[in-house]
Amino acid sequence: MTDLATRYLGLALRNPLVASASPLSQTVEGVRALADAGVGAVVLPSLFEEQVRQEQLRDLQVTEPYDESFGEALSYFPSRAGSSGGGAHYLHLVERAVGVAGDLVVPVVASLNGSSPGGWAGFAASLQDAGAAAIELNVYLVPGDPHLSGRDVEDWHVEILRTVREVVSVPVAVKLSPHFSSVGQMALRLDEAGAAGLVLFNRFLPPDIDLETVSVHPQLSLSVPEEARLPRTWVAILRSRVRCSLAATTGVETGEDVVKYLLAGADVVMTASALLRHGEAYAASLLAGLEDWMARKGFGSVDDLRGLLAVPLGTDATAYERSAYVSALDGARRTYGDLRMRDDA
């Protein structure tokens, strides 16, 4: 028997497989299906900064005309602010999802998506009150202003995290981009600022060009296993260098992909693309693949294998990765150089 129990953000999970935010978790029925399939936790789709701001503005427009009304004039009272719209609907989803997933002891993580410091982040308190076991901050920011410095972008991430942590007591994870000039420094700053976990990495969704309509349009593509190499590299580097949990995401298609992330040092492995391709029940296949590999290699628990291939503490990680880069190029030179010579012959 293999023991898959693990901890993430201080939460006890039955296994390290987490269903990350996707259309599969946007309904109570979807959350229930994911929990039944065996995942250790579920991350709900994000509530966006723009939705929170719009609802705050709508509430202000409803209540502001009544500021000078007498309290006794009950007929002047407006309808309850926030009774409809994105925020209220999302809170209802959190409450109901916690109810169904709680039966199977599967924590539900709420997600806030934004890119700028501001009052919207305070909505996290409502998510906690609705029963979310933790909050994932998805800071999706493409700094298109060339005058915006890298340090300013980093400071925004830290400020958003601090704003949320001031209003909640549940653990807060930050979903990071891989495009900082120093990913490691950003990770350390967030760790020091109180992040309970880091999710590596957020996938940016750059638009494509439609040649028939001669227009730019957004396009989403599901991840593939080759994309896992970058987050796996950073998980391995950060494993012994931060106190917070590490969640790996992107490129998970088989149980072997889950194993690779755990060997690199991930506390949990998140997936959305594989479940979207194959359905919620595919979670059981991913877990079976993990258990089969563990049994074949003689590992009794996830803790026994986690981080075995992480970059050792005290190692010069820059030199370590540089060496791997040079070795890869050398191997490619030998392989493709031989092929080219054969073609010429």
Side-chain angles (χ1 to χ4, degrees):
M1 294 294 292
T2 53
D3 180 10
L4 300 185
T6 193
R7 297 190 68 83
Y8 174 57
L9 308 178
L11 305 171
L13 307 187
R14 58 185 178 178
N15 62 65
L17 184 66
V18 175
S20 53
S22 80
L24 296 176
S25 58
Q26 69 183 354
T27 66
V28 176
E29 293 74 18
V31 172
R32 179 63 164 183
L34 291 167
D36 287 341
V39 299
V42 175
V43 182
L44 300 181
S46 291
L47 176 66
F48 285 80
E49 169 186 348
E50 293 79 2
Q51 293 175 280
V52 176
R53 292 191 186 279
Q54 288 174 3
E55 192 153 297
Q56 289 171 339
L57 178 60
R58 184 167 58 249
D59 290 349
L60 181 62
Q61 292 172 336
V62 169
T63 58
E64 194 172 38
Y66 297 87
D67 284 349
E68 303 301 323
S69 299
F70 292 106
E72 291 82 357
L74 299 180
S75 61
Y76 285 132
F77 284 1
S79 301
R80 179 179 178 272
S83 58
S84 62
H89 176 78
Y90 193 83
L91 290 176
H92 187 54
L93 171 62
V94 173
E95 291 172 348
R96 296 182 62 206
V98 168
V100 300
D103 295 341
L104 296 173
V105 198
V106 176
V108 171
V109 179
S111 174
L112 272 177
N113 186 309
S115 63
S116 63
W120 65 272
F123 193 81
S126 298
L127 301 178
Q128 173 179 278
D129 294 342
I135 293 170
E136 182 178 288
L137 282 176
N138 187 336
V139 184
Y140 191 98
L141 170 62
V142 180
D145 181 356
H147 300 290
L148 187 64
S149 72
R151 189 66 175 185
D152 287 338
V153 173
E154 295 172 1
D155 290 344
W156 281 9
H157 281 72
V158 175
E159 184 176 344
I160 292 171
L161 170 62
R162 285 176 173 161
T163 300
V164 171
R165 288 199 68 245
E166 286 174 357
V167 298
V168 300
S169 58
V170 296
V172 180
V174 181
K175 193 169 189 177
L176 275 181
S177 156
H179 301 305
F180 292 98
S181 59
S182 176
V183 173
Q185 174 64 19
M186 188 72 257
L188 289 177
R189 289 191 66 189
L190 292 168
D191 187 39
E192 292 167 359
L198 299 175
V199 183
L200 308 177
F201 285 114
N202 202 348
R203 293 177 75 228
F204 283 119
L205 305 175
D208 200 357
I209 292 178
D210 188 320
L211 296 180
E212 295 303 317
T213 61
V214 192
S215 62
V216 177
H217 66 95
Q219 185 173 6
L220 184 151
S221 58
L222 300 181
S223 70
V224 295
E226 288 74 16
E227 294 179 68
R229 295 183 181 184
L230 178 61
R232 197 159 59 230
T233 296
W234 277 105
V235 167
I237 291 174
L238 294 174
R239 171 66 189 174
S240 301
R241 291 164 174 79
V242 294
R243 297 165 298 178
C244 62
S245 298
L246 293 176
T249 184
T250 299
V252 176
E253 180 65 21
T254 67
E256 292 182 351
D257 297 319
V258 177
V259 173
K260 289 179 181 180
Y261 269 133
L262 293 172
L263 287 170
D267 291 288
V268 295
V269 180
M270 296 184 171
T271 182
S273 294
L275 300 179
L276 287 169
R277 285 192 186 97
H278 307 291
E280 299 94 335
Y282 189 65
S285 296
L286 293 174
L287 291 169
L290 169 61
E291 287 187 292
D292 289 346
W293 184 89
M294 290 174 61
R296 183 161 53 86
K297 294 295 184 179
F299 289 102
S301 72
V302 170
D303 289 338
D304 292 339
L305 66 98
R306 181 181 286 111
L308 283 180
L309 299 183
V311 178
L313 188 63
T315 301
D316 183 339
T318 301
Y320 185 92
E321 294 302 326
R322 175 77 182 175
S323 174
Y325 164 73
V326 172
S327 297
L329 288 182
D330 186 54
R333 190 177 299 112
R334 290 196 305 271
T335 300
Y336 296 109
D338 291 343
L339 288 175
R340 186 170 58 252
M341 286 190 296
R342 284 199 296 270
D343 290 339
D344 292 342

